[in-house]
Amino acid sequence: MKGLLLACAALIAAPAAAETIAITGGTVAIGDGSAPIEGGTVVIRDGRVVAAGSGVAVPADARRIDATGKWVTPGIFAGFTRIGLVEVDGVDQTNDSRARTAPFSAAIDVAPAVNPRTSAITVSRAHGVTRAIVAPATGPGMFAGQGAVIDMGADMDAVTRPRAFQFVELGEDGAASAGGSRGAAHTYLRNALNSARDYARNPAGYGGRDNTALFNRTDAAALVPVVTGKVPLLAHVERGSDILAALALRKDFPELKLVLVGVSEGWTVAPQIAAAGVPVIASALNDLPAAFETLAATQSNIGRMVKAGVKVGIGMIGDNDTRQARQELQYAGNLVALAKLPGAAGLSWAQALAAITSGPAEAIGLGGEYGSLRPGRHADVVVWSGDPLELSSAAEAVFIDGVQQPTVTRQQRLRDRYATPGEGALPKAYDR
């Protein structure tokens, strides 16, 4: 512990830079669904993982970090958030999650709106979250726009991949945005995708130059990467029948890379999702009928889907997704506990960790770069005081792209400032 604290102090005093690092002696979890490895070693060089596991040779020039008695895992890859887009929910000037009156929908790009200094990024980093999928929220239409993948690094270059996916609301919210029915929502969606096809074939001849048109040129152009399969379409669906309707889109749009988000009733149609090979970024523990579209919600949802062969990551849609990605660790731990209850379906420890690391990365098409400690992946690595899926464990060292990050938050500084204030240490307002 003392060595880690000294390393963090040195980090604050010196410019951050990638280096050769060997983290030795810890329980190493690769994050790909494999079992943890006791007494393992992780070697990082030039911002990438070189090797991870047992019997790994330590380079002579490596800075060693002794993780004996600790755990070493990939950083948490938050599956669905709006981190970096909101500081204060009720203050419009700090809330860039949705454009309520914009003339555009699919074309909206969240990347320029991401604020690396928002407090949620610092807090997430301190709890072992290193990257996140960040999605816009819908304005007047079904399409929210183009989301990004960001990192939680302590710098001003947060966006890992801009325009990484398109986000659309289906189900109840999509129906409301499209005029009041699910039928209207799917008609609008298919028209939009067909419009993108038309634009791709002949951009100069495409109409819709008036921004008040049903689907304008700018939005149609933004959907071309979706219909050509270059970026995923993340679709929010909860009800079983809505999930099947979303899967049916690929009959007419076979190149569509569909990812389902939310999916509270996924267990009811899990064989169909698995057969379609469509990944899911699911809400972890929905078990109450908060809406008509989630009447069949159960905490066993994810466990049943995984058992049926569905590829599942955990997301936070509608669950304080602007600032509480750290709760994914607790959700994953609860799914491990759920597996031990008679009649319930949860996850093994290795499956649960994968659901908050490699699972979301693979769903978004970035599994070859992020989400695990496999060789060649970006070195997003966390050293934990204990089992990371236990609430008593803390992130003691966080690396993003091989660079050790500060983990002190404003909340911690305030705690330390007022825990034992000395004479004259309080602000003027306290002198009365």
Side-chain angles (χ1 to χ4, degrees), residues 88-121:
V88 181
D89 293 319
V91 179
D92 288 345
Q93 293 87 341
T94 71
N95 189 338
D96 289 302
S97 62
R98 73 176 75 238
R100 299 182 185 277
T101 59
F104 305 107
S105 56
I108 293 172
D109 178 4
V110 301
V114 172
N115 178 13
R117 290 181 175 170
T118 189
S119 58
I121 286 181

Side-chain angles (χ1 to χ4, degrees), residues 54-334:
S54 60
V56 172
V58 176
D61 62 339
R63 174 166 72 92
R64 289 175 176 258
I65 296 177
D66 183 6
T68 302
K70 306 179 190 304
W71 288 61
V72 186
T73 73
I76 306 309
F77 197 113
F80 187 99
T81 75
R82 294 189 169 102
I83 289 178
L85 299 181
V86 181
E87 186 63 50
V88 181
D89 293 319
V91 179
D92 288 345
Q93 293 87 341
T94 71
N95 189 338
D96 289 302
S97 62
R98 73 176 75 238
R100 299 182 185 277
T101 59
F104 305 107
S105 56
I108 293 172
D109 178 4
V110 301
V114 172
N115 178 13
R117 290 181 175 170
T118 189
S119 58
I121 286 181
T122 304
V123 172
S124 297
R125 180 174 68 241
H127 287 83
V129 180
T130 55
R131 300 210 185 242
I133 295 171
V134 177
T138 53
M142 293 170 50
F143 286 97
Q146 301 168 94
V149 175
I150 71 169
D151 69 61
M152 305 288 125
D155 56 57
M156 293 301 291
D157 186 20
V159 178
T160 300
R161 181 164 298 189
R163 300 174 296 283
F165 60 92
Q166 179 70 227
F167 178 58
V168 66
E169 285 280 2
L170 296 176
E172 290 182 5
D173 289 342
S177 298
S181 77
R182 286 173 166 82
H186 278 269
T187 300
Y188 184 87
L189 174 58
R190 289 174 179 274
N191 175 71
L193 297 177
N194 281 319
S195 296
R197 275 180 172 174
D198 293 343
Y199 183 92
R201 294 189 187 107
N202 183 13
Y206 184 80
R209 295 182 183 276
D210 182 352
N211 284 342
T212 63
L214 184 61
F215 212 73
N216 62 54
R217 289 176 56 83
T218 308
D219 288 331
L223 283 181
V224 170
V226 174
V227 294
T228 57
K230 293 181 179 178
V231 303
L233 176 67
L234 271 61
H236 180 203
V237 285
E238 301 287 358
R239 197 170 77 179
S241 60
D242 291 333
I243 294 168
L244 296 180
L247 295 178
L249 286 169
R250 297 207 308 175
K251 294 179 181 178
D252 295 327
F253 303 94
E255 294 183 80
L256 202 66
K257 290 183 178 178
L258 186 64
V259 180
L260 304 178
V261 177
V263 204
S264 292
E265 294 189 357
W267 67 276
T268 66
V269 291
Q272 293 94 318
I273 301 173
V278 171
V280 165
I281 299 176
S283 301
L285 296 169
N286 287 356
D287 68 340
L288 295 174
F292 282 104
E293 64 183 357
T294 60
L295 290 177
T298 170
Q299 290 189 351
S300 292
N301 180 42
I302 286 181
R304 291 174 181 174
M305 285 195 290
V306 168
K307 187 176 181 180
V310 179
K311 296 179 179 179
V312 180
I314 292 176
M316 299 288 296
I317 189 166
D319 186 15
N320 204 346
D321 48 33
T322 60
R323 53 182 62 87
Q324 292 296 347
R326 58 181 177 160
Q327 290 181 350
E328 289 195 4
L329 286 154
Q330 180 178 349
Y331 293 159
N334 286 348

